[in-house]
Amino acid sequence: MSGGGGSWREAVLFILAGLLAACATPHAASKASASDAHGVWRSRGYGWLLSVTPEGLRLHHETSAGCYPDPATPAEVEAMFPFRNPERDGKTLVLAAQKNRSDYWFDRLPALPAGCDEVRAWSAREVFDVFRATFAEHYAYFPERGPDWLSRLDAQRSRVTPDMDSRALFTLFAEALRSLNDPHVELLADEAAADTLKYEPPATGTFAMLEQAASVLGRPPKEVQREWMRAYRDGVLQTVLQGEGHVAANQRVFWGFAAPRVAYLNVLTMGGFIDPEEGQTPTSAEERAALGPVLDEAMTAFEGAEALILDVSNNRGGYDSVATDIAVRFAYRRPRVAYYKEAKGAKDAPLQAFVVGRWPLPSFEGPVYVVTSDVTVSAGEVLVLALRALPQVTQVGTATRGAFSDMLVKPLPNGWTVTLSNEFYTNLERQNFEARGLPPQRPLDIFKGEDLWHSHARAIRALADSLVPPEAKPTP
């Protein structure tokens, strides 16, 4: 799942919330069968070691440079891994986040490898080696984003001394990560530290243009981004929906008619549909429950429309499960395989096929024009990938960002946390669009540098007018 465009904290919350939701309705497990899984298990891919004991679950991270415990409590690990029954041979365990989502395959070990439970201080060079090994073993996109990245990182190892201070080491890591330009690669120092450090990928495309505009205006980039977002929303409501649209789901969804018999649905995120309570992050189940009635109302209102524009040109990602909930509203007559997914290093784990199935819920089966841009990222892209498996869907706009993989969250042994892309998402032809994005079938400039504030609304207005059926157009 995805949570592109957000911080690693948001990614963790998305992942944990989805896993917590799954605990309420386990995949196929029962408490009675839990004892069958007691022991130590090694994941296929992901670098996890899971200990299942009568007292609960414990998690360790294993690399060629060392093994160390995850800081999560047993209760938190229990929430992360609602497990199914072991395979009949007792040697394999399959964990699942939620129905029709990722399965994680584990193989039984005789015991936890030596040294995994050792509590000790890690030197800067040891942390460097774990950082390097984590990427070497799990990062899936060196060919696309940094073919010589590991050798360039290796060249920096001589700079790391036993007494190197944290800020200098963090800077070294950040400089290395910047060259990958991967929206799902982030690094955060220990939040408890007085001088918390954080690295996020550099701005590109539309966001780079906004930063340039902020520089020209002499204003803070975040302030300019907020202003641009307000203009985007106003453009949708006034120019596209002509003052007669609906705003719902915590202002994350806009819908209405953009032209006679041309429906319009805009989804800004794959989550965030309800305000979180103090200290509580909504689960994926709660988010999906909040979105469902909104989609019901919109799809019912769209009955009789001859075309629908699904606008995810500003979708920042979130839960893959929410993307699936949206995709099934356009399922065409029968369930279809939408895309495939596998993790780097997950040897002998079955390739996972994700299906878009038809629900007995209000839906739309006419022509759909899904609008994308370089801002469309992560779970937003997964939605587009799924929709393109449907025969009546046409992708319009510009290529998506190209960051499909879930964010693999890896704590480092010094208390820092790094996230990375470790999964391959492919279409039915087994094509992978990571780093290059899904290209449109019908090109349309969405965010033009010379008019960032209004170009989106004008582009959608022109698209909607072009889709009006002849009999619905006024007589000259």
Side-chain angles (χ1 to χ4, degrees):
M1 174 233 15
S2 331
S7 69
W8 81 268
R9 293 189 197 86
E10 293 168 328
V12 173
L13 293 175
F14 276 134
I15 293 168
L16 283 177
L19 295 170
L20 281 165
C23 290
T25 54
H27 214 52
S30 66
K31 291 184 179 180
S33 64
S35 61
D36 297 336
H38 287 169
V40 179
W41 303 85
R42 173 182 283 140
S43 62
R44 300 179 187 179
Y46 302 96
W48 294 324
L49 293 172
L50 185 69
S51 300
V52 182
T53 72
E55 292 73 36
L57 305 184
R58 298 175 61 223
L59 185 66
H60 291 77
H61 297 272
E62 183 182 38
T63 75
S64 60
C67 176
Y68 53 95
D70 190 282
T73 66
E76 290 169 335
V77 180
E78 291 274 5
M80 291 171 62
F81 294 106
F83 53 83
R84 304 199 311 186
N85 293 334
E87 296 296 290
R88 290 185 179 180
D89 61 6
K91 298 178 181 180
T92 307
L93 180 67
V94 183
L95 310 185
Q98 49 189 304
K99 187 177 181 181
N100 199 32
R101 299 317 314 161
S102 300
D103 284 342
Y104 304 105
W105 288 71
F106 287 73
D107 299 303
R108 188 184 288 277
L109 294 179
L112 195 66
C116 285
D117 260 343
E118 182 182 354
V119 178
R120 64 182 180 87
W122 292 66
S123 70
R125 181 160 289 184
E126 288 175 319
V127 173
F128 177 96
D129 290 341
V130 169
F131 175 83
R132 196 265 186 204
T134 297
F135 275 83
E137 294 162 19
H138 300 292
Y139 188 68
Y141 293 104
F142 286 127
E144 294 82 1
R145 296 186 183 274
D148 61 344
W149 191 84
L150 287 173
S151 61
R152 287 187 283 113
L153 181 66
D154 289 341
Q156 300 298 313
R157 191 173 188 273
S158 61
R159 294 173 51 192
V160 183
T161 60
D163 59 348
M164 188 178 198
D165 68 71
S166 295
R167 184 173 291 275
L169 183 62
F170 188 97
T171 300
L172 187 151
F173 287 172
E175 289 173 351
L177 296 177
R178 189 169 287 109
S179 64
L180 289 175
N181 191 26
D182 186 334
H184 283 165
V185 170
E186 297 182 0
L187 176 68
L188 185 69
D190 181 5
E191 289 190 278
D195 57 345
T196 295
L197 301 169
K198 184 178 181 181
Y199 160 79
E200 291 181 342
T204 60
T206 298
F207 290 117
M209 289 191 291
L210 286 168
E211 285 197 354
Q212 184 178 9
S215 177
V216 170
L217 295 170
R219 295 168 58 191
K222 288 186 177 181
E223 180 181 301
V224 171
Q225 277 198 32
R226 285 194 294 269
E227 182 180 289
W228 172 72
M229 197 63 214
R230 285 194 294 270
Y232 179 92
R233 294 169 186 263
D234 289 345
V236 168
L237 293 172
Q238 302 306 320
T239 303
V240 177
L241 296 176
Q242 302 173 80
E244 297 185 0
H246 301 261
V247 182
N250 200 22
Q251 301 189 55
R252 298 297 201 279
V253 177
F254 307 93
W255 65 271
F257 280 83
R261 286 153 67 178
V262 178
Y264 178 83
L265 175 66
N266 188 311
V267 184
L268 294 177
T269 53
M270 298 302 171
F273 305 124
I274 49 180
D275 282 325
E277 296 181 9
E278 186 72 25
Q280 297 291 324
T281 299
T283 67
S284 63
E286 290 170 336
E287 295 282 14
R288 295 168 68 189
L291 179 62
V294 175
L295 295 178
D296 286 346
E297 183 180 5
M299 294 299 164
T300 300
F302 293 159
E303 185 177 356
E306 295 200 12
L308 185 146
I309 298 172
L310 175 59
D311 192 347
V312 289
S313 61
N314 210 331
N315 190 288
R316 312 298 178 85
Y319 295 109
D320 281 2
S321 56
V322 170
T324 300
D325 285 356
I326 297 171
V328 298
R329 299 293 184 140
F330 306 99
Y332 189 75
R333 300 179 185 271
R334 62 180 176 83
R336 294 173 181 269
V337 174
Y339 59 91
Y340 300 100
K341 175 180 172 181
E342 58 187 324
K344 180 180 177 180
K347 185 179 179 181
D348 298 327
L351 178 68
Q352 295 188 69
F354 290 84
V355 176
V356 176
R358 181 165 180 166
W359 285 3
L361 295 171
S363 60
F364 184 85
E365 293 189 355
V368 176
Y369 299 84
V370 56
V371 182
T372 64
S373 78
D374 67 296
V375 180
T376 311
V377 70
S378 196
E381 295 182 275
V382 173
L383 169 62
V384 182
L385 187 65
L387 288 172
R388 286 191 55 156
L390 306 180
Q392 80 277 25
V393 172
T394 301
Q395 183 184 346
V396 180
T398 57
T400 63
R401 180 70 179 274
F404 293 81
S405 171
D406 290 346
M407 299 170 80
L408 177 62
V409 181
K410 282 289 180 179
L412 298 176
N414 66 341
W416 297 353
T417 302
V418 67
T419 68
L420 60 152
S421 304
N422 74 311
E423 295 170 330
F424 303 99
Y425 279 70
T426 55
N427 66 5
L428 303 187
E429 290 75 39
R430 300 304 309 279
Q431 295 173 301
N432 191 323
F433 296 92
E434 190 84 13
R436 58 191 176 112
L438 277 162
Q441 296 154 314
R442 178 172 166 176
L444 179 67
D445 283 337
I446 301 299
F447 299 121
K448 296 181 180 180
E450 65 272 18
D451 189 14
L452 277 173
W453 271 251
H454 305 101
S455 58
H456 166 264
R458 290 170 178 167
I460 301 300
R461 175 76 272 137
L463 173 63
D465 291 340
S466 75
L467 299 177
V468 177
E471 64 273 18
K473 293 180 179 178
T475 304

